Amino acid sequence: MPSVFRRKILSTPLLFVWAILLMFLPGSECMAQTPPVAATPPMGWNSWNHFARKIDDAIVRAQADAMVSSGMRDAGYVYINIDDTWEAERDAQGVIHANNKFPDMKALADYVHGKGLKLGIYSSPGAKTCAGFEGSYGHEEQDAQTYAAWGIDYLKYDLCSFGKIMESAGSPEAAHQLMLDAYTKMHNALLKTGRPIVFSLCQYGADAVWRWGASVGGNAWRTTGDISDKYWSMTQIGFGQAGLAKFAGPRHWNDPDMLEVGNGGMNLEEYRTHMSLWSLLAAPLLAGNDLSTMKPETIALLTNREVIAIDQDRLGQQADRVRAEGSQEIWARTLADGSKAVGIFNLFDWPQTIEINFGEFGFKGSVKARDIWAGKDLGRLTGEYKARVPSHGVVLLRVSE
Ligand code: GLA
């Protein structure tokens, strides 16, 4: 190629055009790096919070049935995720098998897919999972191929015993790099299957995972340790997400752990706080209760379309804290249509009136507001608004110019 032409072709504006073209060439690395999953935070169900080790094929089928009959599927829930304890030993060829709780994983995936849902599974980069079952260490490609052959659509990849391997790295930096390499290895193995599989990192929010989770292929990364079905646990995690908004966006989300809604350890107002906060946080909405025995109020909490619309807003702009004063937390996020979702939270053990001013969310002049949980338009409001918020509860508003 003549050098003048070469210089021209590599000139800055043209280089930009080339880069864009390359991104869209079929089979190019750039394409491969962005499988079409998790454009909005994944929605579904996970077995761990309610069933833990007691999960089996029959329960998973019952959850899939209930996801449809309860209306959750139609509200946007898609993934039925099997967490830890499904794994048996490997065979002589190193292929992983499910234990006798899951007699035929492919048939289970077919069943779940037949309901218009998707199936998720769980493993670890370590030799053992957190519950002591077989992990993927040294078998990453083989496992990814097995998952793809079964028809798996989501992988939660939980650090667990890989921590021991990291201890032998020699230095904290080397240990950190080992972890990044381990996640990247499974990401590449999943890509190689050619199947769109959501890659969900779980390493409890250590090492500022939000800064590097996307670079190792994560579609979501746990930002915290395990949630429990208690108001203090849920709020500690939820309100602890302040400052992380800038790291989330389409295809890569902060994950403050699965929902506890409906598990019985919190009251209705507390679960309303849980749903509101997770939706403001653009968190994956993975129900963690028994879907086959839900009370109507649990279904109502999980399927409120306007709350889900906040979580699933296509802009993917996670909320951040606007202000906090001990017993009050005010959070807001900007939505694709220019409106804002505003959460007014009362942490007191008794009701209180919390005052906000629409100016603090960037509005000038009068606004149009809707109280989402009340399902009520508040009309046009100017300046201050006094919200009566129940104990441990929330008033969730959608506000526009
Ligand atoms: C860890 C994870 C949990 C769950 C268990 C399973 O504790 O953080 O979400 O997956 O492992 O053993």
Side-chain angles (χ1 to χ4, degrees):
M1 194 188 289
S3 65
V4 181
F5 184 57
R6 201 162 48 223
R7 229 176 294 132
K8 255 206 143 103
I9 219 167
L10 292 176
S11 72
T12 320
L14 268 175
L15 203 63
F16 178 72
V17 174
W18 275 108
I20 296 287
L21 280 176
L22 273 173
M23 273 173 67
F24 291 100
L25 273 181
S28 80
E29 260 315 286
C30 294
M31 269 293 256
Q33 295 294 325
T34 53
V37 292
T40 59
M43 288 177 68
W45 171 88
N46 173 292
S47 60
W48 189 255
N49 283 356
H50 186 86
F51 293 99
R53 291 167 179 261
K54 292 197 200 93
I55 190 65
D56 62 20
D57 177 284
I59 293 175
V60 171
R61 284 172 194 250
Q63 302 306 306
D65 294 348
M67 190 172 272
V68 177
S69 62
S70 65
M72 282 178 69
R73 181 192 61 186
D74 293 345
Y77 293 83
V78 176
Y79 293 98
I80 295 281
N81 292 349
I82 305 166
D83 208 279
D84 205 352
T85 79
W86 62 268
E87 313 87 340
E89 303 296 309
R90 295 180 182 279
D91 64 20
Q93 281 69 49
V95 176
I96 185 88
H97 292 272
N99 55 40
N100 56 15
K101 298 195 294 172
F102 292 91
D104 187 340
M105 204 58 103
K106 169 90 175 70
L108 179 57
D110 289 346
Y111 183 83
V112 169
H113 291 154
K115 306 233 149 213
L117 301 170
K118 294 177 189 289
L119 189 67
I121 211 160
Y122 167 100
S123 191
S124 169
K128 294 286 172 205
T129 67
C130 293
F133 289 73
E134 192 69 23
S136 291
Y137 185 64
H139 295 273
E140 293 81 1
E141 282 212 5
Q142 215 171 10
D143 285 359
Q145 293 296 333
T146 301
Y147 303 152
W150 284 341
I152 296 294
D153 308 292
Y154 189 115
L155 174 67
K156 173 174 170 181
Y157 208 44
D158 194 352
L159 196 68
C160 305
S161 69
F162 195 79
K164 286 207 190 83
I165 296 167
M166 289 164 68
E167 275 166 26
S168 59
S171 73
E173 288 90 337
H176 179 72
Q177 191 56 49
L178 267 186
M179 179 175 58
L180 300 195
D181 293 347
Y183 278 109
T184 305
K185 197 173 203 175
M186 183 50 97
H187 169 56
N188 289 334
L190 293 175
L191 285 182
K192 212 166 157 187
T193 69
R195 187 176 173 84
I197 299 178
V198 174
F199 189 37
S200 162
L201 315 186
C202 179
Q203 49 78 269
Y204 334 114
D207 296 4
V209 59
W210 40 86
R211 292 192 173 271
W212 50 265
S215 74
V216 298
N219 298 116
W221 45 82
R222 276 270 297 277
T223 54
T224 76
D226 290 12
I227 193 170
S228 68
D229 188 17
K230 300 275 182 295
Y231 179 71
W232 65 261
S233 166
M234 181 271 291
T235 46
Q236 199 174 55
I237 288 176
F239 296 128
Q241 303 299 300
L244 300 188
K246 62 173 180 268
F247 301 103
R251 302 193 198 297
H252 52 92
W253 307 98
N254 290 313
D255 174 7
D257 208 357
M258 303 163 297
L259 296 171
E260 292 282 8
V261 174
N263 275 332
M266 291 183 242
N267 67 33
L268 198 60
E269 294 305 336
E270 293 170 337
Y271 282 140
R272 214 190 298 281
T273 291
H274 193 3
M275 270 309 280
S276 307
L277 191 46
W278 262 235
S279 294
L280 284 163
L281 292 171
L285 294 180
L286 296 173
N289 56 321
D290 180 356
L291 306 184
S292 67
T293 60
M294 284 190 287
K295 293 185 186 139
E297 63 255 34
T298 302
I299 298 177
L301 284 174
L302 289 170
T303 59
N304 184 301
R305 296 293 202 280
E306 293 180 66
V307 178
I308 289 173
I310 293 173
D311 181 75
Q312 295 291 299
D313 184 75
R314 66 185 156 80
L315 191 61
Q317 176 64 65
Q318 180 177 327
D320 223 326
R321 177 181 278 141
V322 176
R323 65 182 156 90
E325 298 167 34
S327 70
Q328 307 181 355
E329 289 267 0
I330 316 291
W331 288 60
R333 71 179 276 187
T334 302
L335 303 170
D337 66 359
S339 65
K340 302 226 177 195
V342 175
I344 308 166
F345 298 91
N346 173 15
L347 283 72
F348 267 156
D349 293 341
W350 55 90
Q352 63 170 319
T353 300
I354 301 179
E355 214 170 291
I356 57 162
N357 188 308
F358 293 110
E360 63 187 315
F361 312 109
F363 291 108
K364 296 181 184 79
S366 77
V367 297
K368 214 173 82 186
R370 179 169 169 82
D371 181 329
I372 288 179
W373 287 111
K376 206 170 99 192
D377 287 329
L378 303 174
R380 288 210 78 87
L381 304 168
T382 313
E384 266 154 29
Y385 180 70
K386 288 183 180 148
R388 186 74 186 155
V389 193
S391 156
H392 291 188
V394 59
V395 168
L396 185 62
L397 301 179
R398 189 162 176 145
V399 186
S400 51
E401 289 287 357

